[in-house]
Amino acid sequence: MKTAHRNQRLTLLVLRDAQHSVKQFHLSKPLMIAVPAAAVLSIAGLIVSLQIQSAQTISTLEQQLTLKSLEALKMEVTVSDKDEAIERLNKAIIQLSGEAEETKAQMERVQQLEQQLQQFIEKHGSLSGTPTSSMSDDAQLHVGGEYIAVHENEMLDMASDIRDDFEEMQQLLSQLERHIPRTLDQAKETQERREGLPSLWPTDSRRLTSSFGYRSDPFTGRSAYHAGIDIAGKIGDPIYAAGSGQVTAAERSGARGLYIVIKHPNGLETWYMHLNKLSVSVGDQVAQGEIIGQLGSSGRSTGPHLHFQVVKNDETVDPMRYVQ
């Protein structure tokens, strides 16, 4: 390159090689300064533009990263909530399972009590005025239906509702469980009271030879008070307890012969006289219909028969008001 001072011009020489001629370019000095300056400015502008663009890109990436972080955090919270919901559901299911087992056990106990009550009723007959409760042995619990997706909150609500239903069922079963034994006890008590009444005919023979009240004495022929009824029969015929109770006398006397006295509820007593044999002793508890002795003709008697009388509060009453 050769510099010329004339006219503030610059000469640019280009030498390629020895075989080519030298080329000259004449440039003004301002142009020589302006071209590099423009190039520098262009490069600087490009660098600044790249920096701005990179800053914007970094900012965008940071925003996207922040959004991704928030989404990841939300996902973690959701997963945590799901885990907690599943844990709550598991606890609810375990609790419901335990309550179901307890309810099942209560139902089994109630069914056992119901069977005992039913057996008692079948054995002794229906008891009018006695409250009873029954449940069908064929009762079954059905589950099923179409599949419907539900949210875990709805499942928890359903579990809560089912738990409430179980509590109501358990309360009802508890009431029933308390009621059936009382009913059974009442039925037994009623039956015992019925059996305690002297309502059973005391021997096999139905032939009544003398009724209650005044009659002609077979020994004297005079009018005399007869405190019971006479039932003719054969010696050795069984004598039955007219009602359940306790034996208070089982002995021999001159006029009564071999005789038995049984004490019943409500101030009642039954007397069995002129027996041939005693089958019970004082203090024995006898059931209605139990054999207590044999028909005979002991004591002041004109032939084989049973003298049967009923005493209420120490006064003789007509036995026909009681026996059937």
Side-chain angles (χ1 to χ4, degrees):
M1 179 183 296
K2 180 179 179 180
T3 306
H5 295 282
R6 187 180 53 184
N7 298 325
Q8 295 293 322
R9 295 173 63 87
L10 297 176
T11 301
L12 180 63
L13 300 177
V14 179
L15 300 176
R16 297 180 61 185
D17 52 35
Q19 296 179 358
H20 294 78
S21 60
V22 178
K23 294 184 178 180
Q24 296 182 4
F25 297 94
H26 300 283
L27 300 173
S28 63
K29 188 175 183 180
L31 183 60
M32 286 295 294
I33 295 173
V35 169
V40 170
L41 291 176
S42 297
I43 294 172
L46 179 60
I47 292 173
V48 171
S49 176
L50 290 174
Q51 288 179 345
I52 294 173
Q53 186 176 359
S54 62
Q56 292 177 348
T57 303
I58 292 172
S59 177
T60 302
L61 291 175
E62 287 178 349
Q63 292 177 358
Q64 293 177 354
L65 182 60
T66 302
L67 292 176
K68 292 292 184 182
S69 299
L70 291 175
E71 290 178 358
L73 183 59
K74 289 181 180 179
M75 187 175 296
E76 289 179 0
V77 172
T78 302
V79 171
S80 177
D81 291 341
K82 294 282 187 181
D83 292 340
E84 292 178 358
I86 292 173
E87 183 67 22
R88 291 196 299 271
L89 285 174
N90 287 334
K91 290 180 179 179
I93 290 171
I94 292 173
Q95 184 175 358
L96 286 175
S97 177
E99 292 176 355
E101 290 296 328
E102 183 179 353
T103 302
K104 181 180 178 182
Q106 279 187 320
M107 292 181 67
E108 290 176 354
R109 291 196 299 270
V110 169
Q111 287 179 351
Q112 291 175 358
L113 292 172
E114 181 194 12
Q115 290 175 0
Q116 293 177 6
L117 181 60
Q118 186 65 32
Q119 291 173 358
F120 180 83
I121 292 175
E122 291 176 356
K123 180 179 179 181
H124 300 284
S126 61
L127 304 175
S128 60
T130 302
T132 58
S133 299
S134 64
M135 291 168 48
S136 174
D137 293 335
D138 298 330
Q140 297 179 351
L141 180 63
H142 299 277
V143 294
E146 64 173 326
Y147 174 80
I148 302 176
V150 294
H151 193 268
E152 60 269 10
N153 291 335
E154 296 176 353
M155 294 179 67
L156 288 173
D157 292 339
M158 291 170 60
S160 178
D161 293 339
I162 294 173
R163 187 181 300 110
D164 293 339
D165 293 339
F166 269 125
E167 290 178 356
E168 291 180 3
M169 288 176 61
Q170 288 175 354
Q171 291 176 359
L172 291 174
L173 287 173
S174 297
Q175 293 176 0
L176 187 59
E177 195 173 1
R178 291 192 300 268
H179 176 71
I180 288 181
R182 289 201 305 269
T183 302
L184 188 57
D185 292 340
Q186 291 171 357
K188 288 181 178 179
E189 184 180 353
T190 302
Q191 189 65 25
E192 288 173 356
R193 286 199 302 268
R194 287 187 174 185
E195 291 178 352
L197 293 175
S199 59
L200 182 68
W201 192 260
T203 187
D204 292 336
S205 173
R206 295 278 175 171
R207 189 156 60 94
L208 190 67
T209 57
S210 184
S211 59
F212 174 81
Y214 287 92
R215 66 169 186 172
S216 175
D217 189 299
F219 291 95
T220 64
R222 297 177 180 177
S223 178
Y225 179 75
H226 190 226
I229 59 174
D230 290 341
I231 306 170
K234 296 182 297 183
I235 292 178
D237 283 350
I239 302 299
Y240 306 107
S244 58
Q246 184 179 23
V247 177
T248 57
E251 56 192 25
R252 180 188 292 272
S253 74
R256 299 169 183 165
L258 288 174
Y259 76 99
I260 297 171
V261 179
I262 300 177
K263 183 179 181 180
H264 307 283
N266 302 320
L268 289 169
E269 291 179 343
T270 50
W271 294 55
Y272 311 79
M273 302 180 187
H274 310 302
L275 303 180
N276 184 58
K277 179 182 178 182
L278 303 179
S279 300
V280 294
S281 302
V282 174
D284 289 349
Q285 291 287 341
V286 295
Q288 187 180 50
E290 182 178 340
I291 296 177
I292 58 175
Q294 294 179 0
L295 186 144
S297 185
S298 60
R300 190 171 182 266
S301 171
T302 59
H305 75 284
L306 169 68
H307 174 87
F308 175 71
Q309 69 183 45
V310 177
V311 177
K312 182 176 178 62
N313 297 328
D314 299 326
E315 293 184 3
T316 56
V317 294
D318 187 357
M320 298 303 292
R321 291 166 51 185
Y322 293 92
V323 296
Q324 299 176 356

